[in-house]
Amino acid sequence: MTLSTFIGLGSNLGDRAGNLLLAVRGMLDAGLEVTRLSSIYETEPVDRADQPMFLNMVAEVRMTIFTAEQTLARLLRIEYALGRRREVPRGPRIIDLDLLFYGDEHRATEFLHLPHPRVHQRRFVLTPLAELEPRLLHPILHRDVSQLLAETDDKADVRRWRGN
């Protein structure tokens, strides 16, 4: 069985675009079949405003052999390999990789929440996700990504990044 999985990528430290590229390379090296990438968006930080602007994007991954837990473990290893340390909650980060959707699965365990519990509240995730799959249905809220984007209360600035 093949599942479409969506992964959010973000960086606001160092070479932000380079960090995103290295994360995509890390996903490929980890055996994840990346099938599509959204554009890159420059976004305001959410929750903690006292940090640099982010670059964010979404990757679609075709999942055939890894479970959701195995996928998340690979993402955490990629973050660690790229220098991510979780010292300040929601603070600046070299790279952030979030498992947003794993097919239409939904669950909440100590290790994993599917879909990502704040995906519907984050314009910086919904905008690139809508670029790739506007009709993707949230399995709990029963609304598609374009509806969630139109309904979100998040007013943070999200604009397509054109490079330096």
Side-chain angles (χ1 to χ4, degrees):
M1 178 171 66
T2 301
L3 296 171
S4 283
T5 300
F6 293 90
I7 297 167
L9 297 84
S11 175
N12 73 338
L13 291 177
D15 178 0
R16 300 173 303 164
N19 295 336
L20 296 177
L21 178 63
L22 289 171
V24 171
R25 178 58 191 235
M27 289 190 293
L28 294 169
D29 290 346
L32 302 179
E33 186 182 343
V34 178
T35 55
R36 291 189 295 167
L37 297 171
S38 73
S39 300
I40 297 173
Y41 293 83
E42 189 163 41
T43 66
E44 293 179 320
V46 176
D47 297 326
R48 293 186 61 126
D50 59 335
Q51 58 182 316
M53 296 282 282
F54 277 85
L55 290 185
N56 291 98
M57 66 187 303
V58 169
E60 180 182 29
V61 175
R62 185 172 304 135
M63 201 53 59
T64 55
I65 59 174
F66 301 124
T67 65
E69 289 80 8
Q70 290 169 329
T71 302
L72 181 59
R74 281 169 170 71
L75 297 177
L76 292 172
R77 281 196 297 272
I78 294 164
E79 286 183 346
Y80 187 81
L82 294 178
R84 169 85 187 262
R85 302 299 179 265
R86 296 175 184 272
E87 296 162 354
V88 178
R90 301 194 181 163
R93 59 208 82 161
I94 291 172
I95 193 69
D96 187 29
L97 301 174
D98 289 326
L99 185 54
L100 304 173
F101 290 94
Y102 187 88
D104 61 359
E105 287 191 28
H106 56 90
R107 65 178 110 158
T109 68
E110 183 180 341
F111 184 62
L112 177 64
H113 289 258
L114 287 172
H116 189 283
R118 290 179 305 280
V119 69
H120 63 288
Q121 300 168 333
R122 304 296 198 218
R123 183 172 298 282
F124 68 84
V125 172
L126 291 170
T127 300
L129 189 56
E131 178 187 327
L132 291 180
E133 202 63 44
R135 299 291 170 234
L136 176 68
L137 193 64
H138 192 292
I140 297 171
L141 301 176
H142 305 290
R143 292 198 299 282
D144 68 31
V145 169
S146 62
Q147 290 171 304
L148 295 172
L149 181 58
E151 296 168 0
T152 185
D153 292 333
D154 180 4
K155 302 302 179 209
D157 188 31
V158 175
R159 64 181 74 146
R160 196 173 294 221
W161 185 67
R162 303 283 183 210
N164 293 336

